[in-house]
Every structure is written in structure tokens, then in C-alpha cells.
Amino acid sequence: MARGDDHATQPWVEKYRPRRLDDVTQQHETIRALKQLLYGSGGSSLTEKVASLPHLLFYGPPGTGKTTTALALCRELFQNITNRETLQNRVLELNASDERGIRVVREKIKRFAQSSIEESVDAQVPGFKIVILDEADAITADAQTALRRTIEVHSRTTRFVLICNYLSRVIPPLASRCAKFRFKALEDGAVIARLEHIARTEGMGPLPPEASRLLAKAAAGDLRRAVNLLQSCADWARSADGSQRVLEPEMVSEAACMVPASVVERFYDICVSRNEPVTACFEVLRGGYPVDELLRQTLELLLLDSGTPPAQVQMNDLQRSAIALHMACAEKYLCDGATEAVQLLAFVANCRSVLQASS
Ligand SMILES: Nc1ncnc2c1ncn2[C@@H]1O[C@H](COP(=O)(O)OP(=O)(O)OP(=O)(O)O)[C@@H](O)[C@H]1O
Ligand SMILES: [Mg+2]
């Protein structure tokens, strides 16, 4: 909980991390349910029922507010503790993937849970501690089984907040000990509203609509990524005299390693048009763009943006599915270290044979 120091030099993701549950963007149902657990149906005082707060499990994609919400929850639970030392005594933040093995995690939890809580001067301060176990899905199944017992042993004095990206990687007996809360990928509108608020506060002025649309697109529901991108763009757009230039869409594409639309459209043409030599894809490669990103953006054009593709191609669902499968293979091979040029060529060849087979 030692976050929040030295505001001016902090990265924006930390500087603009919401401190209260109400400030968390878009996760309305989760926030409403958590506030119900803390405050009942109204008011700002903790209810007596908070004493029976269950263990919690937050899950969902990256950058959607899970860690933020866990920290805000602790701040609100222990809002009546003014002594910083005491607050640190109440909240232990562990990152499962940082810690060296489950034994260290268990030892730390044991030591923390066994240290006594100072005599509470305020009936509004809950009589338990909180362990936030981030990235719980990075713990092996065996270690999770052991953790189950740790949670049980310390349940009287400690509540656990487990956080993960993939609920399916948490073993059912562990998950079933917790009340589960799902965090959704943020909608573009919510991302843009948050970015505009940050841009205004940082003196960047209103964001041009095309730039904020691209920022939201590149972030794909991950607000951490969106805020980091905005900060990189702001650094680029700052002139030597400290004045801020208008944020051009090209700056956003560059910062996000996005491939320019004209290049994607050219590659799309090569994938679908028999008039182009297959080897034309090497022209595209020479631009030095990341191939996985080029494929991802092309797939979007092929499958989703059926509105205005550069070359009108009538594709049925079977063909779209076949192309998506080829894309999945190319992505896997690239992850495994295959040669970019070969994968690009193979993808073009596969697209063409899918389209040709049924024409
Ligand atoms: N719902 C949100 N409301 C406001 N800010 C958010 C939200 N989600 C993410 N952010 C911003 O992104 C940063 C990272 O968020 P957070 O650490 O809560 O993500 P997370 O869901 O825990 O991601 P991960 O799964 O990668 O750990 C925050 O500091 C904040 O600036
Ligand atoms: Mg997190």
C-alpha cells in the first residue's frame, strides 16, 4: 500500500490510478456489489456485516481495474485508520509471479496473519487483515492446493483477495472459497472519456477525435495500455520549449506499433486479389512493420470490417473461418520463432487458396 508517493514523477498509470471504488471506470456491477458488501444499501459508514466479508476473487483481462479495485477496497475498509504504519500492518500485497515459489508466499502470509492487530480505537475499523494475492493464476495447481489450506487456517483473522486474468487457471476448490467478481474489457467510449480527462488535467488540451479513436482501438479494452500510450504520445508531442503540439493520429499509430491503414489495405489486396503476384508481400515486409500486428489488422479488415474493404470480396462464413484458422496457425508459428517472411507468404497463399477453392 506504499503507492501514491511523489505524484509529479509518477508514470500516469499510477498517478491516475483511482483511489476510491466510485472512481473506477465502467465496472459498475462489480463496484455496486462491493459497495453493498461494505456499506449495505446506502451511506458511507461500514455496516456491521463487513465483519463477515467473504474472500474475494477478481478475474478478467489486463488493465481493467482489478488491482486498482482491490487497493481501493482496502483503502475504504480501513479508511478510519489514520496511522500509516497501522494500515501497512493490515494489508499485504503479494504478486504470485514475483515471489520465489509458493513456500515463500505461504511463509509471508503466515507471518503477516500471525502478527497481532493493534487494539482498534474505532469500532468502524474491521477486525481483520487483507492479503491481496495478485496473479494467482500463475501459481501451479499443486501450490494452489496448498494455498487452499493456508487460506482456511488464517480465515479467522485474514481475508484474501485473489486476482487473476484466467479464472479457468484457478483450481475449483480455491475459486469456490471466494465470491467472484468479473472485470470486463473497457468499452472504447469509457477509454476515450478517461483519456480525455487525463489529457485535460495534463494540459494537453482536447484530444483530436481521430487520435483518441486510434488510442482506444490500440488499447483494445486495456486502460493501462491506453494511458501508457497517451503518455508516450504526450512526450513525443512536447516541443523543446515545453509547449504541446496537437496529437496527430500518426503519432498514435507509431507509438502503438500499429501498421498504417494504407499498408494494411495494400497487404489485404495482395491476400485477396489474383492480379497481384504473391511475392508482392515482400514489398510490405520491407517497411519493417511487426508482422504479427500486420496480420492482426488485416484479419480485422478481412473478417470484421466488411463495410469498406479496399477490394470488395464476397466471402461466406466458411471462408472467413478457414482464413481465421490460417491466421491462428501463423500467429502460433511466429510465437514459436518461425521466419516472418515465410509466414507472411504462407498466409497470403492460404487466403488465396481458400478464396479460390470455392469460387
Ligand atoms: N476500470 C478502471 N478505471 C480507472 N482506471 C483504470 C481502470 N482499469 C485500469 N485503469 C488504469 O490502468 C492502470 C492499471 O490498472 P490495474 O492495475 O487495476 O489493472 P489490472 O486489471 O490489475 O491488470 P492486470 O491483470 O494486468 O494486473 C491503473 O493504474 C489505472 O491507471
Ligand atoms: Mg493487476
Side-chain angles (χ1 to χ4, degrees):
M1 293 289 285
R3 301 178 190 223
D5 303 319
D6 204 4
H7 218 52
T9 57
Q10 278 183 328
W12 289 0
V13 274
E14 284 305 328
K15 186 169 171 187
Y16 293 97
R17 188 189 283 278
R19 296 178 63 78
R20 298 194 56 84
L21 290 173
D22 276 338
D23 299 332
V24 174
T25 303
Q26 208 198 293
Q27 310 297 353
H28 307 295
E29 286 144 41
T30 292
I31 298 300
R32 201 177 311 123
L34 289 172
K35 288 186 70 177
Q36 176 73 27
L37 285 175
L38 262 55
Y39 305 114
S41 40
S44 57
S45 313
L46 298 175
T47 65
E48 283 169 13
K49 283 200 199 133
V50 90
S52 54
L53 187 80
H55 302 302
L56 308 173
L57 173 57
F58 295 169
Y59 66 96
T64 51
K66 300 179 295 299
T67 303
T68 303
T69 301
L71 293 170
L73 180 85
C74 293
R75 230 171 257 120
E76 299 202 15
L77 267 175
F78 301 119
Q79 58 192 287
N80 287 6
I81 294 181
T82 43
N83 177 334
R84 192 186 160 90
E85 209 96 47
T86 319
L87 183 59
Q88 281 181 358
N89 195 25
R90 290 299 187 98
V91 182
L92 175 68
E93 232 188 305
L94 292 174
N95 192 315
S97 60
D98 274 358
E99 308 294 332
R100 285 156 294 131
I102 190 64
R103 206 172 291 162
V104 180
V105 172
R106 273 164 54 202
E107 265 315 301
K108 280 195 177 176
I109 293 173
K110 198 167 142 195
R111 237 177 300 132
F112 173 73
Q114 280 174 349
S115 66
S116 61
I117 297 174
E118 279 176 23
E119 201 55 39
S120 179
V121 284
D122 191 330
Q124 275 283 304
V125 179
F128 53 74
K129 303 178 175 203
I130 299 271
V131 174
I132 301 174
L133 194 54
D134 220 335
E135 303 196 18
D137 47 354
I139 309 176
T140 62
D142 281 351
Q144 286 187 36
T145 308
L147 191 63
R148 208 171 55 162
R149 175 91 186 114
T150 309
I151 290 182
E152 233 152 48
V153 168
H154 300 294
S155 272
R156 208 177 51 78
T157 53
T158 310
R159 299 294 182 280
F160 286 79
V161 182
L162 304 184
I163 304 182
C164 66
N165 291 129
Y166 304 102
L167 184 58
S168 57
R169 292 189 194 159
V170 176
I171 58 167
L174 191 56
S176 70
R177 283 167 167 72
C178 307
K180 294 175 222 43
F181 294 89
R182 181 169 54 92
F183 285 70
K184 296 176 273 193
L186 276 85
E187 283 160 18
D188 285 1
V191 172
I192 291 173
R194 185 72 184 155
L195 293 182
E196 275 170 354
H197 161 75
I198 296 176
R200 265 196 313 277
T201 316
E202 291 292 331
M204 291 175 73
L207 294 173
E210 182 55 14
S212 40
R213 192 191 67 79
L214 273 180
L215 281 165
K217 185 170 182 217
D222 176 341
L223 195 48
R224 179 197 291 112
R225 178 158 161 75
V227 174
N228 275 331
L229 276 175
L230 181 68
Q231 186 167 15
S232 313
C233 291
D235 290 340
W236 279 7
R238 197 168 299 119
S239 311
D241 62 3
S243 62
Q244 197 79 43
R245 283 177 292 140
V246 173
L247 203 62
E248 304 289 348
E250 292 72 30
M251 290 181 193
V252 178
S253 316
E254 194 73 20
C257 300
M258 287 170 93
V259 183
S262 59
V263 176
V264 180
E265 286 170 10
R266 170 79 185 120
F267 181 64
Y268 174 95
D269 268 343
I270 299 169
C271 290
V272 300
S273 158
R274 272 182 251 162
N275 302 329
E276 297 282 350
V278 170
T279 47
C281 66
F282 292 126
E283 279 167 39
V284 175
L285 255 185
R286 275 194 285 277
Y289 299 105
V291 167
D292 54 345
E293 181 61 26
L294 172 64
L295 288 175
R296 202 188 54 73
Q297 285 178 238
T298 308
L299 185 70
E300 235 167 67
L301 211 55
L302 276 163
L303 304 185
L304 311 172
D305 270 358
S306 48
T308 50
Q312 290 290 343
V313 181
Q314 295 299 321
M315 244 189 279
N316 59 36
D317 254 10
L318 210 58
Q319 290 169 315
R320 286 175 205 273
S321 313
I323 290 179
L325 266 177
H326 288 305
M327 169 71 69
C329 292
E331 193 188 45
K332 163 86 176 108
Y333 296 142
L334 286 170
C335 281
D336 290 347
T339 312
E340 290 193 336
V342 175
Q343 288 310 310
L344 208 62
L345 196 60
F347 181 71
V348 172
N350 283 325
C351 282
R352 296 229 189 149
S353 57
V354 166
L355 293 172
Q356 197 157 8
S358 34
S359 63

